[in-house]
Amino acid sequence: RVQPVESGGGSVQTGGSLTLSCAASGYTSSSDCMAWYRQPPGKGPEESEAVADISSDGLTRYDDSVKGRFTISQDNAKNTVYLQMNNLKPEDTAKYFCAPGDWGGGVCYPAAGYWGQGTHVTVSS
């Protein structure tokens, strides 16, 4: 595993859309997964929220706050995971990270030490 690289952040108005990309090292095990997290302004890394997970075979999980608005997907040929964010709200403003992990019980548990640098998303009202 290597540290992933996130991109695609920006500033949009309420109701707008953005697609984030996460370039990673690719899956090597059927238990591998990727997850998106976000760190709201003024909060420390330990307060990051899990946003969406995807397993190597395409199972997904979403936080209730983004269900119906965000879609996580992946292109295994490109070793890239995406987060399509629609109908953005000011409370979605955060620094978004992706991280590889291990899938278990329908959840992607992040592997220590492989967090990316993040990409900023700002949603104005």
Side-chain angles (χ1 to χ4, degrees):
R1 286 170 172 162
V2 297
Q3 281 186 313
V5 178
E6 305 90 343
S7 62
S11 297
V12 297
Q13 293 187 326
T14 298
S17 298
L18 284 172
T19 300
L20 306 183
S21 297
C22 170
S25 59
Y27 297 128
T28 59
S29 166
S30 60
S31 64
D32 287 347
C33 57
M34 291 294 295
W36 282 100
Y37 300 84
R38 62 187 180 188
Q39 180 184 346
K43 294 192 175 182
E46 68 281 2
E47 298 177 271
S48 295
E49 311 164 341
V51 174
D53 306 339
I54 189 165
S55 68
S56 59
D57 57 358
L59 298 176
T60 59
R61 185 188 72 93
Y62 297 93
D63 184 77
D64 286 345
S65 65
V66 306
K67 280 181 181 176
R69 301 188 298 121
F70 290 12
T71 302
I72 188 170
S73 62
Q74 60 195 359
D75 184 334
N76 289 342
K78 296 182 178 179
N79 293 335
T80 300
V81 176
Y82 304 97
L83 186 67
Q84 172 69 42
M85 306 185 295
N86 297 325
N87 191 22
L88 282 161
K89 304 175 181 180
E91 52 263 43
D92 295 318
T93 295
K95 188 175 185 180
Y96 284 72
F97 302 84
C98 61
D102 298 294
W103 188 263
V107 176
C108 185
Y109 294 93
Y114 293 98
W115 296 87
Q117 293 299 308
T119 185
H120 289 276
V121 172
T122 302
V123 184
S124 58
S125 57

